[in-house]
């Protein structure tokens, strides 16, 4: 027995050593797992980075708008349109901070009481004022003071886009004071109410809640065909009508007004296309759990833009026998605007049809403006207004049950799917009512402002004939840009040309 015990002692010691080693290994592995977990990107951090990336892409669209607009105006107005594009972003930043964000997403009790639904009422200047009702959860919680500011940034970039739509439409003849005035009103007051109605959880036509839904569904406008583009288009066409056409654009003395560069136009459109992936894609507002629908959004956006580009180009070629790069460019924009509302809910066939119809919608509207002698320099109303209107309607037609459940709510996908996919039409009714309210709200406010400026502002809404003839750059911005001229010529000299242009008028 003693011999047996003596033999077991080393074995027990060996087992104790093995257990100790195993315990040490477990502790080491546990420490490594904890280290990996601590280094892993948090869901909130990931969603915030996604919004900030989207902000950068949408803000980069300002560069696209700048190139598109500078390529569409005459050389003598280059500095003027560039300054306005810079001011679009800066004015939007200050007025979105002061009033816009609060009116768009601030406190509203519509879902609880049925009162309001048109604008928010707290969180001005973001931090809020005082306490109580003014201490908006939108801006005054610890989350809002840090991560929540990514949402402010993303929505500011959208607001700047709305203002830019108008500046290009009335380029080359609107006074700078009138431009500043309508930009401030549009971003700080008009547009935020539209955002609230369409996107806020308490908005009248918003789908982002479970009760008091207009038409039982609310409208589908995922990234802003109506909220952003249609609003900008309505403001643009009213400003064009009230400011009037450029000298020589229409009438018995009409002449060809030279555009600066189709190169700049094309560069601008391609930049806008890139930015649109942030505009539509990041409108998921989160990436954790939404990467799949974001991928779908990218693809529908691409299909619609490509389809509208080809359709618009060949439509123009069929009628004129000219393959015009401007038609290709505006076709791309028409398709992008058209799919923006339904980019998350349409399938690929729906995206194709949306783009296919966006092309004739744009083309017909552009020619209609010419017939009516409404001078829209960059075709802002045909692209953003008319294709934005069509995009909102298309979203209510082509939303499938599957994608509606992915992008919105699965419990009402059967009723709120598109009309062509078995929906009850509630979303279509909500969308039509929203568009009518948008026309009335935006149209009335912009009209009142422009008429007040026209008759009460000392400089009016339009520059003098002399300033328009000479060009904004020489008269307002310290001189013209350096441009190539014939040997021995100076800016303002007559230049021989087969076409009569404004260069002759500047001599």
């Amino acid at each position: 027995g003693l011999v047996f015990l003596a033999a077991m002692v080393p074995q027990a010691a060996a087992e104790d050593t093995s257990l100790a080693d195993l315990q040490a290994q477990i502790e080491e592995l546990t420490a490594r797992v904890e280290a990996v977990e601590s280094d892993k990107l948090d869901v909130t951090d990931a969603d915030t980075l996604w919004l900030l990336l989207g902000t950068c892409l949408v803000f980069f669209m300002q560069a696209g708008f700048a190139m598109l607009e500078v390529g569409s105006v005459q050389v003598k107005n280059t500095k003027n349109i560039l300054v306005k594009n810079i001011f679009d972003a800066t004015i939007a930043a200050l007025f979105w901070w002061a009033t816009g964000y609060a009116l768009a997403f601030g406190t509203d009790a519509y879902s609880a009481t049925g009162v309001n639904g048109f604008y928010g009422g707290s969180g001005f200047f973001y931090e809020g004022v005082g306490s109580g009702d003014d201490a908006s959860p939108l801006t005054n919680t610890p989350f809002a003071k840090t991560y929540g500011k990514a949402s402010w940034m993303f929505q500011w970039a959208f607001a700047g886009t709305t203002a830019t739509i108008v500046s290009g439409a009335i380029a080359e003849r609107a006074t700078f004071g009138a431009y500043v005035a309508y930009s401030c009103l549009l971003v700080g007051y008009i547009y935020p109410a539209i955002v609230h109605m369409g996107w806020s959880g308490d908005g009248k036509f918003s789908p982002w809640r479970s009760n008091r839904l207009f038409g039982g569904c609310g409208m589908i406008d995922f990234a802003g065909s109506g909220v952003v583009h249609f609003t900008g288009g309505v403001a643009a066409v009213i400003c064009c009508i009230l400011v009037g056409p450029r000298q020589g654009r229409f009438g018995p003395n009409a002449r060809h007004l030279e555009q600066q560069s189709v190169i700049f136009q094309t560069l601008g459109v391609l930049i806008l296309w890139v930015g649109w992936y942030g505009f539509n894609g990041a409108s998921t507002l989160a990436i954790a759990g939404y990467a799949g629908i974001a991928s779908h959004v990218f693809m529908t956006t691409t299909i619609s833009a490509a389809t509208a580009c080809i359709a618009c180009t060949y439509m123009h070629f069929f009628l004129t026998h000219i393959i015009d790069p401007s038609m290709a460019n505006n076709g791309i924009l028409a398709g992008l605007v058209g799919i923006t509302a339904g980019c998350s809910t349409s399938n690929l066939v729906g995206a194709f049809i949306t783009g296919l119809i966006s092309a004739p919608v744009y083309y017909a509207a552009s020619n209609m403006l010419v017939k009516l002698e409404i001078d829209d320099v960059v075709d802002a109303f045909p692209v953003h207004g008319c294709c934005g209107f069509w995009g909102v309607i298309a979203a209510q037609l082509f939303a499938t049950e599957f994608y509606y459940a992915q992008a919105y709510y699965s419990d009402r996908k059967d009723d709120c799917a598109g009309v062509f996919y078995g929906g009850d039409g509630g979303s279509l009714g909500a969308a039509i009512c929203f568009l009518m309210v948008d026309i009335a709200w935006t149209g009335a406010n912009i009209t009142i402002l422009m008429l007040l400026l026209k008759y009460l502002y000392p400089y009016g809404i339009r520059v003098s004939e002399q300033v328009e003839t000479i060009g904004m750059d020489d008269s307002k911005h310290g001189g013209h840009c350096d441009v190539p001229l014939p040997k021995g010529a100076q800016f303002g000299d007559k230049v021989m040309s087969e076409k009569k242009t404004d260069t002759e008028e500047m001599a």
Side-chain angles (χ1 to χ4, degrees):
L2 292 174
V3 173
F4 176 77
L5 291 173
M8 291 295 295
V9 169
Q11 182 178 352
E15 289 178 355
D16 289 342
T17 302
S18 298
L19 289 173
D21 291 343
L22 182 60
Q23 183 64 34
Q25 291 177 12
I26 292 173
E27 291 176 356
E28 182 182 356
L29 289 174
T30 301
R32 289 182 180 181
V33 170
E34 290 176 351
V36 170
E37 289 292 331
S38 65
D39 290 338
K40 187 173 67 175
L41 188 64
D42 179 76
V43 169
T44 303
D45 289 334
D47 291 341
T48 301
L49 286 174
W50 176 245
L51 269 184
L52 293 176
L53 173 62
T55 298
C56 292
L57 286 172
V58 177
F59 181 67
F60 188 50
M61 291 173 72
Q62 292 291 346
F65 279 117
M67 291 299 96
L68 172 63
E69 292 175 18
V70 82
S72 300
V73 301
Q74 300 166 90
V75 176
K76 62 185 181 180
N77 296 310
T78 300
K79 287 183 178 180
N80 180 261
I81 199 63
L82 288 175
V83 170
K84 287 178 179 177
N85 273 271
I86 294 169
F87 268 48
D88 287 335
T90 53
I91 289 174
L94 295 180
F95 277 82
W96 194 245
W97 169 53
T99 61
Y101 193 61
L103 292 173
F105 296 104
T107 304
D108 176 10
Y110 179 77
S111 60
T113 66
V115 177
N116 193 357
F118 295 100
Y119 54 85
S122 63
F124 296 96
F125 290 95
Y126 195 85
E127 296 295 343
V129 180
S131 58
D133 292 338
D134 288 329
S136 169
L138 177 72
T139 58
N140 275 9
T141 64
F143 179 87
K145 289 178 178 293
T146 52
Y147 292 103
K149 288 179 178 176
S151 176
W152 185 95
M153 291 294 299
F154 188 62
Q155 296 297 339
W156 155 68
F158 273 56
T161 298
T162 307
T164 304
I165 292 170
V166 185
S167 65
I170 56 173
E172 302 198 283
R173 75 272 199 197
T175 60
F176 202 82
Y179 155 75
V180 170
Y182 80 68
S183 292
C184 295
L185 187 72
L186 187 63
V187 175
Y189 177 66
I190 299 173
Y191 170 72
I194 300 298
V195 172
H196 188 85
M197 285 187 276
W199 285 343
S200 170
D202 284 303
K204 184 76 171 177
F205 304 101
S206 173
W208 298 110
R209 60 177 179 272
S210 59
N211 66 321
R212 297 187 189 277
L213 291 163
F214 198 101
C217 294
M219 71 162 185
I220 301 171
D221 188 4
F222 190 74
S225 289
V227 172
V228 179
H229 296 283
F230 183 67
T231 301
V234 170
V237 73
I238 291 174
C239 288
C240 287
I241 293 170
L242 294 177
V243 173
R246 291 166 292 173
Q247 293 178 18
R249 180 69 176 92
F250 301 115
N253 297 319
R255 61 187 183 277
H256 178 76
L257 300 180
E258 295 283 359
Q259 294 183 326
Q260 181 166 176
S261 173
V262 72
I263 299 172
F264 288 151
Q265 293 174 21
T266 304
L267 175 62
V269 168
L270 292 175
I271 291 173
L272 287 170
W273 194 346
V274 171
W276 230 285
Y277 291 118
F279 201 98
N280 287 0
S283 288
T284 59
L285 304 182
I287 193 62
Y290 294 93
I293 198 66
S295 300
H296 176 69
V297 167
F298 273 51
M299 192 166 179
T300 55
T301 300
T302 303
I303 295 297
S304 181
T307 303
C309 173
I310 294 173
C312 193
T313 303
Y314 275 93
M315 186 184 309
H316 187 68
F317 175 75
F318 179 78
L319 295 173
T320 66
H321 303 290
I322 297 172
I323 301 176
D324 189 347
S326 293
M327 289 296 108
N329 289 334
N330 283 331
I332 290 171
L333 296 179
L336 290 170
V337 171
I339 196 58
T340 295
C343 58
S344 64
T345 53
S346 297
N347 59 21
L348 300 183
V349 173
F352 173 81
I353 297 173
T354 298
L356 190 65
I357 297 178
S358 293
V361 167
Y362 157 73
Y363 198 80
S366 179
N367 283 280
M368 178 190 70
L369 289 189
V370 175
K371 293 288 186 182
L372 296 174
E373 297 191 352
I374 298 172
D375 186 12
D376 183 342
V377 177
V378 295
D379 268 353
F381 178 68
V383 168
H384 299 278
C386 296
C387 292
F389 186 98
W390 157 242
V392 173
I393 299 300
Q396 326 308 315
L397 302 178
F398 297 113
T400 69
E401 293 179 4
F402 175 80
Y403 287 115
Y404 187 92
Q406 297 294 311
Y408 288 95
Y409 301 96
S410 59
D411 60 344
R412 59 175 189 253
K413 61 184 176 61
D414 296 331
D415 294 332
C416 298
V419 173
F420 293 161
Y421 289 87
D424 62 11
S427 64
L428 179 60
I432 292 173
C433 290
F434 167 81
L435 291 169
M436 296 303 103
V437 170
D438 196 341
I439 292 172
W441 172 256
T442 304
N445 280 287
I446 284 292
T447 300
I448 292 171
L449 173 67
M450 296 300 282
L451 289 176
L452 288 174
L453 291 171
K454 183 175 182 178
Y455 294 109
L456 299 180
Y457 178 54
Y459 299 100
I461 59 176
R462 185 183 180 115
V463 298
S464 67
E465 291 186 11
Q466 182 180 10
V467 169
E468 188 176 349
T469 300
I470 295 172
M472 305 277 204
D473 291 357
D474 267 4
S475 60
K476 301 295 182 183
H477 301 286
H480 61 275
C481 288
D482 294 329
V483 293
L485 293 172
K487 185 177 180 180
Q490 296 180 358
F491 196 82
D493 289 345
K494 286 187 177 180
V495 179
M496 297 301 295
S497 173
E498 295 180 359
K499 300 174 182 178
K500 184 179 180 182
T501 69
D502 277 350
T503 309
E504 298 177 352
E505 299 290 338
M506 289 187 288

